[in-house]
Amino acid sequence: MKTIACILSYHMPELTSKTVADLVSAGWEIGNDLFIFENQDEHSAFDHAEEVTHFTGSNLRMTGGWNFIADWCAEHDDDRVWFCTNDFEVTYGTPSPGILSDLPASIGWWHPAVEPIKDYCFPWMFGQNPAGLRDVPMTDSICPAITRECMEYLRAWNHGQVFDQLFYRGWGLDYDSCWQIRQMGKRVVIHDAIRVKHEASRTYTAGKAPESMEAFYAEAHGEMSQRLIAKYGPDWHKMIVG
């Protein structure tokens, strides 16, 4: 399955360049199967990485930025898209184009394992042995790879957008997307042969976000809870995660 990687970057050129370097060293090629989308206007006063290939036009936040990428991908013929944030580091294994392209079509949502993080909400994502593909109810959305078939299904479910835009700051789209993909009969998996390190809220701790970290957490949690309850009822977590 032909696969491309798309990085969503915002105002952190050094992080984006490091993530790009990791993927290039794994065999991805900028402009061929690796594209970098800066989540701002091309003429913004903010710095951006020199590797950027596209601009979203304004800060669309995470969900809007990923929908921008999904719309761009819809005009191309790739079978699977690896959606990447710009602030993770590959610590184990090599996420090469071949590994993702060779995944069976039955896998709708793929995600690397993560290195242990204190107070992390999804401890089942920590790397395990043996280092194979592990089926799970859902994963975080640091860098999931999603098939075109699943994106088209999600687009129909979300009335024209692959990711529900009411998860404005990104929290909750992982629960929602993984649940819907599983309803298709497709697999959601963690790949323990590849691990990434992700420090949440790097934009906020660096003072480059449009709001404080505390305000972001409060708003993101409220958006997530309100939308998931509206879609699935008050027991949404038990239904989706078990």
Side-chain angles (χ1 to χ4, degrees), residues 169-181:
R169 291 169 174 79
W171 285 24
L173 69 81
D174 38 23
Y175 288 105
D176 188 42
S177 300
C178 288
W179 171 255
Q180 290 303 323
I181 287 171

Side-chain angles (χ1 to χ4, degrees), residues 7-25 30 34 36 38 47-52 85-88:
I7 297 173
L8 181 64
S9 170
Y10 175 69
H11 195 16
M12 298 286 280
E14 66 283 358
L15 287 181
T16 299
S17 293
K18 176 62 172 64
T19 302
V20 170
D22 279 350
L23 299 195
V24 168
S25 67
I30 298 173
L34 172 60
I36 301 90
E38 181 66 22
D47 293 336
H48 61 267
E50 63 180 13
E51 299 91 347
V52 167
T85 55
N86 70 326
D87 56 355
F88 70 89

Side-chain angles (χ1 to χ4, degrees), residues 38-232:
E38 181 66 22
N39 204 0
Q40 59 179 318
D41 183 81
E42 182 176 1
H43 305 292
S44 170
F46 294 149
D47 293 336
H48 61 267
E50 63 180 13
E51 299 91 347
V52 167
T53 57
H54 299 78
F55 291 85
T56 63
S58 64
N59 180 9
L60 305 178
R61 306 302 290 257
M62 179 175 174
T63 303
W66 277 18
N67 276 325
F68 184 96
I69 291 172
D71 289 345
W72 180 84
C73 291
E75 300 176 2
H76 300 78
D77 60 353
D78 307 291
D79 301 307
R80 194 186 305 269
V81 179
W82 188 16
F83 290 86
C84 299
T85 55
N86 70 326
D87 56 355
F88 70 89
E89 177 184 355
V90 179
T91 58
Y92 180 83
T94 304
S96 66
I99 287 179
L100 273 75
S101 295
D102 290 344
L103 293 173
S106 60
I107 294 177
W109 175 290
W110 170 97
H111 202 290
V114 300
E115 297 290 356
I117 306 170
K118 184 180 179 181
D119 300 325
Y120 188 50
C121 294
F122 313 125
W124 58 87
M125 291 198 64
F126 298 158
Q128 299 182 12
N129 290 312
L133 295 170
R134 177 162 46 96
D135 288 273
V136 293
M138 58 84 64
T139 79
D140 203 343
S141 52
I142 301 166
C143 51
I146 312 173
T147 63
R148 173 179 290 273
E149 179 186 9
C150 287
M151 287 193 290
E152 290 174 352
Y153 178 90
L154 291 173
R155 190 183 295 279
W157 166 250
N158 291 317
H159 309 291
Q161 296 176 319
V162 171
F163 305 103
D164 188 336
Q165 192 60 45
L166 292 181
F167 297 115
Y168 179 59
R169 291 169 174 79
W171 285 24
L173 69 81
D174 38 23
Y175 288 105
D176 188 42
S177 300
C178 288
W179 171 255
Q180 290 303 323
I181 287 171
R182 286 168 54 208
Q183 300 318 292
M184 294 176 62
K186 299 297 184 181
R187 299 168 61 192
V188 173
V189 305
I190 293 172
H191 200 164
D192 286 310
I194 300 170
R195 297 176 194 169
V196 298
K197 179 181 179 181
H198 179 252
E199 296 181 25
S201 308
R202 292 284 291 273
T203 307
Y204 295 87
T205 56
K208 295 185 176 182
E211 61 198 342
S212 70
M213 186 166 63
E214 293 75 17
F216 170 83
Y217 278 13
E219 292 293 334
H221 187 272
E223 291 164 0
M224 177 182 71
S225 298
Q226 183 178 10
R227 188 59 177 152
L228 289 172
I229 289 172
K231 282 189 162 185
Y232 306 113

